[in-house]
Amino acid sequence: MNTTEKFYLPVDDILEMFTSLTGQSRITHPVLQSAPLTPVPQHPKVSNNISKTGMGIIKTVKGSCWRQQDKRVASRSSSSGNRQVSTDRLPKRSVDLLELGLAKPRNCHRIVVLGAPKVGKTNILRRFLGKEFEENYEPTTEDFHRKLFHIGGEAYQIDLLDPASERNFPAKRRLSILTGDAFLLVFSLDDRESFDEVCEMLDEIKAAKTKLLKLKRPARVPVVICGNKADLEAPRAVRRSEVTEVLGEDVAFYETSAKDGTGLEGAFKALARLDGLPDETSPSRHQLVSILTYQSLCISQRGRGGSRARGLGAPCAAVDPLARRPSFTSDLRLVLRSSTKHNKPERCHIQ
């Protein structure tokens, strides 16, 4: 379209319109900062077209800025050094391998992490997920994580639950215990009270599982106990000899440090062994990949007839970024199903 007329829009009118539409009142461009805002004679026809022309300019500028910003926000890099993945390609919901038919029920486990506040539970979980230690402490309300593994041609799903908010709610706490397949109990080596609390928790876990399964003897539960903060130079309030004396010689106890990683490898291996999981679930035994790469691997393997057609491959794992704890109703149904494997109780006593 050829145009013979030229329209001149005053700089201050453009800035005024831009400010009213974008909410930005500061001039950041060096040219505009130095330019004098002097009145410019308006063309007679500008008054009729200022709205459409101005809105066109603003929409173009704002659309371009938003697209650039969305691209920057949408791209994120994983902690394992993988290439950036756009958020619009991430799964729309949490990945449940059991629901999708990608994992066998025996390969889906829930690990419940219990312990007093400020003992390092969150950082131990971060280490298991392949993340770095965080120095700043923030009280945990509730953490739920899901890590998906591909080991030896099979898919595994491990849910990690830290029900810290349920300390003062016995019914909820008991439900979390009943849904756990294995337990990681954490206390601080410089805090005697945190060790006493772990001892009480261990008794509570055994009693709850025994009652659920209606056993005559105390249930044998996969439990690993971590005496954390082994890196501290302060005198220890709890020694190894005291732990074995109180809990017994056969207890899986490890002195750990979430800060420098001391003892965590042995604790994770023991947890896997007691819960019937492969040793490759330990963070040092597998490669961390993106959730999209993991899904593609599982789906393509299923489409090609399993591990015989594709080969076993190196162990890998992915952290589900959208993992959410199942509802309490779902947990209650899970407890009822587990209680009817060998017995058929009239009801499930949570309290």
Side-chain angles (χ1 to χ4, degrees):
M1 177 177 178
N2 296 327
T3 306
T4 57
E5 290 183 290
K6 296 183 179 179
F7 294 91
Y8 297 92
L9 194 62
V11 175
D12 53 351
D13 287 343
I14 294 177
L15 295 177
E16 183 178 357
M17 255 193 307
F18 187 84
T19 301
S20 64
L21 292 173
T22 63
Q24 298 183 8
S25 59
R26 297 175 58 188
I27 303 176
T28 57
H29 198 284
V31 176
L32 293 180
Q33 285 179 336
S34 59
L37 303 181
T38 57
V40 178
Q42 295 186 12
H43 194 279
K45 294 184 179 180
V46 169
S47 59
N48 295 331
N49 298 326
I50 184 171
S51 177
K52 293 182 180 179
T53 306
M55 288 301 294
I57 295 174
I58 296 305
K59 287 181 179 179
T60 302
V61 174
K62 289 179 64 178
S64 176
C65 293
W66 284 341
R67 282 193 295 269
Q68 294 295 330
Q69 183 178 7
D70 288 343
K71 289 180 181 179
R72 290 193 298 267
V73 173
S75 61
R76 62 175 64 175
S77 57
S78 67
S79 59
S80 60
N82 297 325
R83 61 186 181 87
Q84 293 182 343
V85 180
S86 176
T87 54
D88 59 1
R89 296 180 59 231
L90 290 176
K92 302 301 181 182
R93 51 172 295 183
S94 179
V95 179
D96 193 315
L97 298 182
L98 191 59
E99 291 182 359
L100 297 174
L102 298 176
K104 301 174 183 178
R106 62 182 175 85
N107 291 347
C108 298
H109 298 249
R110 178 183 289 188
I111 298 175
V112 180
V113 184
L114 297 170
K118 301 182 180 181
V119 296
K121 300 186 300 297
T122 299
N123 272 312
I124 289 179
L125 286 177
R126 288 180 61 84
R127 289 285 191 174
F128 184 82
L129 297 173
K131 300 179 180 179
E132 298 295 329
F133 174 85
E134 276 192 356
E135 190 71 41
N136 297 331
Y137 171 77
E138 292 184 5
T140 303
T141 54
E142 178 182 271
D143 274 344
F144 183 85
H145 307 279
R146 175 167 290 168
K147 193 169 182 178
L148 312 172
F149 297 85
H150 195 271
I151 302 170
E154 291 194 48
Y156 294 83
Q157 176 175 299
I158 297 182
D159 291 344
L160 303 162
L161 173 62
D162 177 7
S165 62
E166 300 171 4
R167 287 171 55 83
N168 299 323
F169 299 92
K172 290 184 178 181
R173 176 185 170 111
R174 185 176 178 82
L175 182 59
S176 296
I177 291 175
L178 291 175
T179 58
D181 297 301
F183 298 86
L184 183 65
L185 306 184
V186 185
F187 71 92
S188 180
L189 291 170
D190 64 344
D191 186 351
R192 180 74 191 192
E193 292 183 0
S194 66
F195 173 67
D196 295 337
E197 186 167 343
V198 160
C199 295
E200 295 176 2
M201 289 176 183
L202 183 58
D203 293 337
E204 182 180 356
I205 291 170
K206 291 181 178 180
K209 291 293 188 179
T210 301
K211 186 175 181 180
L212 175 67
L213 302 176
K214 290 192 171 183
L215 300 176
K216 296 181 179 180
R217 298 180 179 180
R220 296 182 62 86
V221 185
V223 177
V224 173
I225 299 177
C226 291
N228 199 36
K229 301 186 180 181
D231 58 289
L232 295 180
E233 298 180 357
R236 297 187 179 184
V238 183
R239 299 188 178 277
R240 177 180 290 273
S241 57
E242 297 180 74
V243 176
T244 55
E245 181 180 353
V246 175
L247 301 179
E249 294 286 346
D250 57 343
V251 67
F253 170 66
Y254 295 85
E255 294 184 352
T256 62
S257 170
K259 187 172 184 177
D260 59 24
T262 300
L264 290 179
E265 185 71 16
F268 294 148
K269 285 184 178 180
L271 193 61
R273 183 180 67 256
L274 293 173
D275 199 22
L277 292 167
D279 290 341
E280 288 82 0
T281 54
S282 298
S284 64
R285 299 289 303 276
H286 60 261
Q287 179 186 3
L288 200 62
V289 299
S290 69
I291 186 67
L292 294 175
T293 301
Y294 181 87
Q295 284 183 302
S296 300
L297 177 63
C298 290
I299 294 174
S300 64
Q301 177 177 330
R302 183 175 62 175
R304 297 185 183 184
S307 60
R308 293 182 180 178
R310 184 178 178 84
L312 299 180
C316 64
V319 177
D320 185 352
L322 302 178
R324 296 291 183 272
R325 177 179 177 169
S327 65
F328 287 105
T329 302
S330 300
D331 282 352
L332 185 57
R333 290 173 181 170
L334 179 64
V335 170
L336 291 172
R337 284 199 301 269
S338 63
S339 65
T340 56
K341 288 182 179 179
H342 304 288
N343 304 286
K344 191 173 181 179
E346 296 180 359
R347 60 176 179 171
C348 176
H349 298 279
I350 300 299
Q351 293 182 334

